[in-house]
Amino acid sequence: MIAKVQRKASYQDILDAPENKVAELIDGELVLSPRPASPHAKASFSLGMDLGPPFDRGRGGPGGWWILFEPELHFGANVLVPDLAGWRRERMPVVPNVPFFTLAPDWVCEVVSPSTGRLDRVRKLPIYLRERVGFVWLVDPLCKTVEAYQHNGEHWVIVGVWSEEQTARIPPFDAVELDLTLWWLPE
């Protein structure tokens, strides 16, 4: 029996992907995920609204960050699209006018869903670790939880887990208290 050799996916596969999918390359495989459903979209938007003014714009907070929605990150042959990512301005003084970023962010947020949770945890977290992303948040809008991880040089260290009814100060954005109840769809 002759084994069928599957070719490694390329960036052209991302460009050719359906517009209603989020396309990523992970370890040579094209991974297509559905566009976010409403709980996911609400959590992403609310999180961006909470972090943008105090950190990206410096209103009511320390500033010093660029916060972007769904930036395309190129790490060697891997192409990842987190829900949000942030760069400290001391590392990236201006946001370049580019279609993708090769500089690893200082913070990444993945809003997990039933279709992406395993991918985010099992396949993407090791890549973020290898690329030395400082912090990763996993936000679950169905369970209404936030898990925060910090890179310690060799592995992820869990900073904490917060639930739906809490306010929280979550590194690296612990200068501002976040009202997590605003991130979820009402029951």
Side-chain angles (χ1 to χ4, degrees):
M1 177 178 227
I2 298 175
K4 185 177 180 181
V5 177
Q6 189 169 351
R7 71 172 178 85
K8 283 194 170 216
S10 71
Y11 192 67
Q12 188 62 47
D13 294 307
I14 287 180
L15 297 175
D16 294 341
E19 288 185 25
N20 65 336
K21 300 286 185 182
V22 176
E24 299 176 290
L25 289 178
I26 301 177
D27 301 323
E29 177 187 349
L30 177 66
V31 178
L32 298 174
S33 302
R35 296 299 308 166
S38 59
H40 183 131
K42 169 68 171 137
S44 293
F45 177 77
S46 296
L47 178 54
M49 292 294 292
D50 280 354
L51 295 180
F55 294 98
D56 188 278
R57 302 209 172 171
R59 284 185 276 168
W65 287 81
W66 297 113
I67 309 289
L68 301 177
F69 282 96
E70 295 187 349
E72 189 171 296
L73 307 175
H74 287 222
F75 301 138
N78 294 299
V79 177
L80 306 181
V81 182
D83 293 289
L84 294 117
W87 288 261
R88 294 179 192 272
R89 290 184 187 207
E90 64 232 20
R91 288 188 57 243
M92 188 168 77
V94 297
V95 177
N97 183 0
V98 294
F100 58 83
F101 297 87
T102 57
L103 178 64
D106 296 290
W107 166 80
V108 162
C109 178
E110 294 286 0
V111 179
V112 301
S113 63
S115 63
T116 65
R118 182 178 172 88
L119 173 72
D120 293 333
R121 285 183 169 87
V122 176
R123 300 195 62 195
K124 293 172 84 171
L125 268 178
I127 296 169
Y128 292 141
L129 182 71
R130 185 182 68 235
E131 297 300 324
R132 306 185 87 47
V133 172
F135 294 87
V136 172
W137 292 6
L138 299 177
V139 175
D140 188 328
L142 298 180
C143 292
K144 299 181 180 178
T145 59
V146 179
E147 301 167 37
Y149 298 87
Q150 184 173 7
H151 190 286
N152 84 340
E154 294 182 27
H155 54 275
W156 292 113
V157 174
I158 193 155
V159 174
V161 179
W162 294 264
S163 65
E164 66 180 296
E165 69 281 345
Q166 294 179 294
T167 56
R169 291 185 180 271
I170 308 172
F173 302 112
D174 47 340
V176 173
E177 190 169 73
L178 302 169
D179 182 354
L180 304 185
T181 63
L182 302 174
W183 296 4
W184 324 120
L185 287 178
E187 294 296 325

